[in-house]
Amino acid sequence: MNRPVTLVHRTSYRYDRPVSLGPQTIRLRPDATCPTPIASYAMDILPHGHQRTWRHDAFGNHEACVTFGQKVRHFDITVRLTADLAPLAPGLRPRTGALGSPPAAFTQPLPAGPHLRAFLADAMAIHDPDPVARLVAINRMIATRIAYRTRMETGVWEAEETLARQTGSCRDSAWLFIQVLRHMGIAARFVSGYLIQPDAGDAACDLHAWAQAHVPGRGWVGFDTTSGLLASQGHIPLAVALRPEQVAPVSGLLDSCNATLDVSMTLHRNGHHGDTKVTDPEGQ
């Protein structure tokens, strides 16, 4: 049974004076490997008079490169996409990407401090003949030990800081999981995307971060370190990369100025409008 929902995501920058924007890179489009069927997609940009070029980056992500020929007082991006969130049959969990071996860079970790070394000892003590079940157990261990918190400031904490604080945003816990797996010789990558939960009381939709691990014979499998669960049909990846800073939804240079950012999402389902809400701008 089809279960279409339409997400409208608005990102609005306002500047206190006319400014020159350098090329702006936008990573807000699912690619063909997205496991959730995308029925339609559109991106509108204001002000008019800009040039837009689509390209793929080194990781295969869709990037819109936008340039303006004149100074601007605002920069608005509106994404509209319709996705089919029908539950998948048992055993058909979403997976992303080819089944071949990933580049070696995805198995190279950063140096481990004492907190990470202690966590690694516990993770390596988990044994299961099913490689996915083992990864699920490690993912749940992170979700249990790291309390979720909203962090509005930019950047991602290193694994040592997240473990020391025993709390972090979704991007912090995802980066911790990635470092744990890379120290175990398992290829892992960072994911930025939409998390749509149409059954939540407020029809929640947010920008979210999670991780993907490469499982031989299955390809890239998604793990949500906030919930401790496998990624589901509600996880719509927009960009994957080696490091978190490579998947920023919007990046680019501009003149020195006072700027304000407003982000909102609206979910439309079964002909009704979901609540409009300001999102937690993870990764922005």
Side-chain angles (χ1 to χ4, degrees):
M1 179 183 296
N2 292 341
R3 193 182 184 191
V5 298
T6 297
L7 172 65
V8 180
H9 173 203
R10 294 183 174 89
T11 305
S12 299
Y13 297 90
R14 293 291 180 269
Y15 312 115
D16 64 338
R17 62 180 181 81
V19 298
S20 295
L21 292 180
Q24 302 294 304
T25 301
I26 305 171
R27 303 175 185 87
L28 291 173
R29 178 179 173 181
D31 67 16
T33 65
C34 176
T36 300
I38 305 298
S40 64
Y41 177 89
M43 177 189 291
D44 297 321
I45 297 173
L46 292 173
H48 296 298
H50 62 272
Q51 291 188 333
R52 182 193 325 181
T53 303
W54 286 102
R55 64 191 181 192
H56 287 93
D57 68 7
F59 304 102
N61 303 310
H62 283 297
E63 290 185 340
C65 182
V66 179
T67 57
F68 293 90
Q70 69 285 333
K71 291 186 176 183
V72 300
R73 292 292 300 260
H74 66 97
F75 177 30
D76 300 302
I77 306 162
T78 301
V79 170
R80 295 177 177 84
L81 67 82
T82 299
D84 182 1
L85 298 189
L88 298 176
L92 294 180
R93 287 284 187 176
R95 61 177 181 241
T96 304
L99 300 182
S101 298
F106 288 100
T107 63
Q108 296 174 1
L110 298 173
H115 292 290
L116 181 54
R117 288 195 295 269
F119 189 95
L120 279 167
D122 292 340
M124 290 179 178
I126 297 174
H127 299 287
D128 195 299
D130 181 349
V132 174
R134 187 187 186 204
L135 294 174
V136 166
I138 296 171
N139 188 41
R140 287 176 178 165
M141 189 164 66
I142 289 178
T144 300
R145 297 189 185 184
I146 306 301
Y148 174 74
R149 62 175 288 185
T150 298
R151 286 206 306 112
M152 303 303 289
E153 64 269 22
T154 60
V156 176
W157 289 342
E158 294 299 340
E160 194 69 11
E161 182 171 2
T162 301
L163 286 168
R165 292 175 179 265
Q166 299 182 44
T167 186
S169 67
C170 59
R171 60 191 188 274
D172 300 321
S173 60
W175 187 233
L176 167 61
F177 184 65
I178 289 167
Q179 290 305 308
V180 169
L181 296 194
R182 289 178 182 175
H183 274 282
M184 297 172 67
I186 300 170
R189 62 188 186 182
F190 193 90
V191 188
S192 172
Y194 294 122
L195 175 59
I196 303 177
Q197 302 175 83
D199 295 326
D202 60 354
C205 45
D206 294 279
L207 280 173
H208 193 52
W210 61 97
Q212 290 176 351
H214 194 271
V215 179
R218 289 199 56 175
W220 292 103
V221 179
F223 296 85
D224 190 324
T225 52
T226 300
S227 65
L229 302 175
L230 286 166
S232 69
Q233 63 272 14
H235 291 76
I236 300 178
L238 298 171
V240 300
L242 191 65
R243 300 185 302 274
E245 65 270 18
Q246 296 170 317
V247 300
V250 183
S251 60
L253 299 176
L254 74 159
D255 291 343
S256 177
C257 66
N258 290 322
T260 59
L261 168 64
D262 180 68
V263 182
S264 67
M265 294 190 186
T266 308
L267 196 64
H268 307 252
R269 54 178 181 171
N270 300 326
H272 299 285
H273 297 289
D275 294 337
T276 301
K277 60 178 291 186
V278 176
T279 65
D280 170 16
E282 297 283 12
Q284 289 212 64

